Amino acid sequence: EAEVSTAKEISEGSIAGKKYVSNADSKIGFTGSKVTGSHDGGFETFTAAIHVENGEPVPNGTKVEIDMDSTWSDSDRLTGHLKSADFFDAPTYPTSTFVTTDIKKGTTGYDVTGNLTLHGETKSITFPADIQVSDDQAKVAAEFFIKRYDFGIQYPGKANDLIRDEVVIRLDITAVPE
């Protein structure tokens, strides 16, 4: 089960390195599934800031902020339902954030750890990511899942079509120097 990281968040002004910010090519998507199928969606409006020093991401230097009212899905009816109190409750929780607390290089990429605040709940999550850094851009690609129940999103679905707890998250972030 996800927990809040005890690592201290550092103000952006004190983070070392060069700041890169997401551009229009960036995407954050998700797939939610239920007994009878699945639905794809994502967020139209978000910002990602990645700090880089000596060609590597700074462990506490990434922050993503999502406008929850920008949620979209492959069904207009579902999009409205996702924004409601049954799921994201966008009027009550208009912004979700992810702030890294650690980024460690592994043998095939990076392990990214940070605090995800979604639906008013903050939990520490860790996921594998491919991170590529050059002088003119930083790219982050990842696919992992979160458990929506960890964030208080517990709408069950219909009795004969229950919604799964695990939601697949896909990141495809391209950031350029600020």
Side-chain angles (χ1 to χ4, degrees):
E1 187 170 303
E3 297 175 4
V4 175
S5 173
T6 56
K8 215 174 164 186
E9 241 181 74
I10 296 175
S11 69
E12 192 169 320
S14 66
I15 298 173
K18 182 178 184 180
K19 182 178 179 183
Y20 291 70
V21 293
S22 56
N23 66 18
D25 294 333
S26 299
K27 294 178 179 70
I28 299 176
F30 60 82
T31 300
S33 60
K34 54 187 180 174
V35 173
T36 61
S38 63
H39 288 282
D40 292 322
F43 307 98
E44 296 286 341
T45 306
F46 63 89
T47 57
I50 303 166
H51 285 78
V52 174
E53 188 171 46
N54 300 320
E56 296 290 332
V58 176
N60 64 341
T62 298
K63 181 175 184 177
V64 179
E65 226 173 80
I66 300 170
D67 174 358
M68 296 308 289
D69 196 45
S70 75
T71 301
W72 64 270
S73 77
D74 54 16
S75 160
D76 289 342
R77 183 174 167 193
L78 175 60
T79 297
H81 196 193
L82 289 172
K83 293 179 187 183
S84 79
D86 286 341
F87 289 97
F88 297 139
D89 197 358
T92 304
Y93 307 107
T95 305
S96 288
T97 58
F98 175 73
V99 180
T100 57
T101 55
D102 197 17
I103 300 175
K104 291 182 181 172
K105 195 167 192 170
T107 54
T108 61
Y110 291 83
D111 288 323
V112 178
T113 300
N115 290 326
L116 174 62
T117 301
L118 174 65
H119 194 251
E121 298 281 335
T122 301
K123 304 288 181 187
S124 178
I125 63 170
T126 300
F127 57 88
D130 177 35
I131 302 174
Q132 305 291 325
V133 177
S134 67
D135 287 340
D136 61 344
Q137 72 178 7
K139 292 183 72 78
V140 178
E143 185 170 315
F144 58 97
F145 73 88
I146 62 170
K147 293 185 174 196
R148 63 190 182 95
Y149 289 0
D150 286 347
F151 298 92
I153 302 171
Q154 298 184 5
Y155 182 77
K158 296 178 182 175
N160 62 348
D161 200 13
L162 296 175
I163 300 169
R164 291 185 174 88
D165 185 18
E166 294 82 13
V167 178
V168 175
I169 307 295
R170 287 178 304 284
L171 304 176
D172 186 6
I173 307 292
T174 301
V176 296
E178 184 176 53

